[in-house]
Amino acid sequence: MNFLSLKYHLRWQTADQTLDYKLAVRCCVYFQLLPPVVYSNARILRAYCQLDSLIMIVYVIVIIASVIQLHAAVIRDAVMELFPFSDDSDTTTAPTMTYGANPVPYVTRDFWSALPPKRIEHFAGPIPYVIIHHSYRPAACYNGLQCIAAMQSMQKMHQDERQWNDIGYSFAVGGDGHVYQGRGFNVIGAHAPRYNNRSVGICLIGDWVADLPPKNMLTAAQNLIEYGVRNGLIAQNYTLLGHRQVRTTECPGDRLFEEIKTWPHFDPMTDIVDQNSV
């Protein structure tokens, strides 16, 4: 029942008289116009109205939250276009890889203070496979300071906990739209079993199971691939795969995987190997 739309009949009784108040109440704020003596006799009515208002507010909040969650990626992209995230680490001074009119903002290992690799092994190119990943953890980063911390965190985990030579990926892409150098082109990685010596592994930093990465991340990843092709580092007829196509994993996340299916050179093939393989 919506108490805000009812007409209430209030009775206030004193020792020698009875006063009737017939009120058309449509909003609890109307009670602020009544004499104070009525408040003491209308506490229950006011409580009902306040409860009804609270319930309506909760309904509105739930609806708004549901809409935001449903369209989170669209809203995030719109906000980022209107109010770009600041780059606290000033990665705007980082070098760029350029092809045609499309520069790829590029953050070198020195710039993000990478630790030295334990070992470097090269392989010949052009590279026939491009494999897309998400980090899942660390979470998405949206400025240089956050993305540098994410790169350092991944390298530490890969070198210390997994005992790998270096960060596993060839490159990573941050929510600031920058490409971060991992092992680089033509260096054997640790990101896809049996493909580490014939692929470039690109990780989009964040968890992209339910949400789509921001547009600037997707654009940076595609520009990086195009840069590799135009400079003879990636084969002209390369094959694009998601990590889950070569290993039992949900990487690169359902939402991102659906996105890369629309990219050039995507191949729906699967070549799953043992989970314990590197």
Side-chain angles (χ1 to χ4, degrees):
M1 178 181 294
N2 190 335
F3 293 97
L4 300 184
S5 61
L6 297 179
K7 291 185 177 181
Y8 297 97
H9 187 74
L10 302 182
R11 180 176 295 275
W12 172 54
Q13 186 170 354
T14 64
D16 56 354
Q17 64 178 338
T18 298
L19 297 178
D20 290 338
Y21 295 87
K22 192 171 184 179
L23 307 172
V25 181
R26 292 192 177 277
C27 181
C28 289
V29 73
Y30 287 170
F31 281 97
Q32 305 302 319
L33 304 178
L34 298 177
V37 67
V38 176
Y39 292 156
S40 63
N41 290 273
R43 284 181 298 177
I44 295 178
L45 180 59
R46 294 179 67 233
Y48 280 148
C49 285
Q50 291 168 353
L51 177 61
D52 186 68
S53 297
L54 179 60
I55 292 173
M56 292 177 66
I57 291 171
V58 171
Y59 282 159
V60 171
I61 292 174
V62 170
I63 292 172
I64 292 174
S66 299
V67 171
I68 291 175
Q69 184 176 13
L70 184 62
H71 301 286
V74 175
I75 293 172
R76 183 180 61 243
D77 285 347
V79 170
M80 289 183 68
E81 288 185 8
L82 291 174
F83 307 103
F85 289 93
S86 62
D87 195 344
D88 296 331
S89 69
D90 194 23
T91 49
T92 55
T93 61
T96 59
M97 298 185 293
T98 304
Y99 71 91
N102 297 310
V104 181
Y106 182 67
V107 182
T108 64
R109 292 176 62 91
D110 287 341
F111 206 99
W112 62 267
S113 300
L115 296 174
K118 299 176 183 178
R119 183 180 179 185
I120 300 176
E121 298 177 278
H122 293 89
F123 64 92
I127 303 169
Y129 292 96
V130 175
I131 300 180
I132 303 297
H133 302 258
H134 75 164
S135 65
Y136 186 70
R137 293 290 182 271
C141 58
Y142 294 105
N143 60 51
L145 192 64
Q146 294 174 352
C147 293
I148 286 174
M151 292 297 293
Q152 293 172 344
S153 172
M154 287 190 291
Q155 186 187 40
K156 180 176 177 58
M157 179 184 67
H158 291 175
Q159 286 187 317
D160 295 350
E161 296 180 22
R162 299 184 181 179
Q163 295 298 304
W164 294 349
N165 291 330
D166 198 356
I167 187 171
Y169 310 113
S170 308
F171 300 94
V173 180
D176 57 354
H178 287 67
V179 172
Y180 289 77
Q181 181 187 11
R183 299 197 185 194
F185 288 112
N186 297 107
V187 177
I188 296 176
H191 61 90
R194 294 189 297 162
Y195 287 82
N196 287 319
N197 62 350
R198 51 181 175 151
S199 67
V200 54
I202 302 174
C203 175
L204 278 69
I205 300 173
D207 173 5
W208 309 119
V209 173
D211 296 323
L212 185 67
K215 184 177 180 180
N216 63 343
M217 289 185 76
L218 301 174
T219 299
Q222 291 172 309
N223 286 348
L224 172 62
I225 296 171
E226 185 64 20
Y227 170 87
V229 172
R230 287 177 177 258
N231 287 275
L233 300 167
I234 297 176
Q236 294 280 343
N237 61 341
Y238 71 90
T239 298
L240 178 72
L241 301 172
H243 188 198
R244 64 177 60 182
Q245 293 174 263
V246 297
R247 185 174 185 177
T248 304
T249 176
E250 68 176 10
C251 180
D254 293 343
R255 193 66 183 85
L256 178 55
F257 187 60
E258 289 302 313
E259 166 65 22
I260 67 172
K261 286 181 179 180
T262 67
W263 291 10
H265 297 267
F266 176 80
D267 191 323
M269 63 163 279
T270 55
D271 186 19
I272 305 296
V273 298
D274 182 75
Q275 179 71 23
N276 294 321
S277 300
V278 176

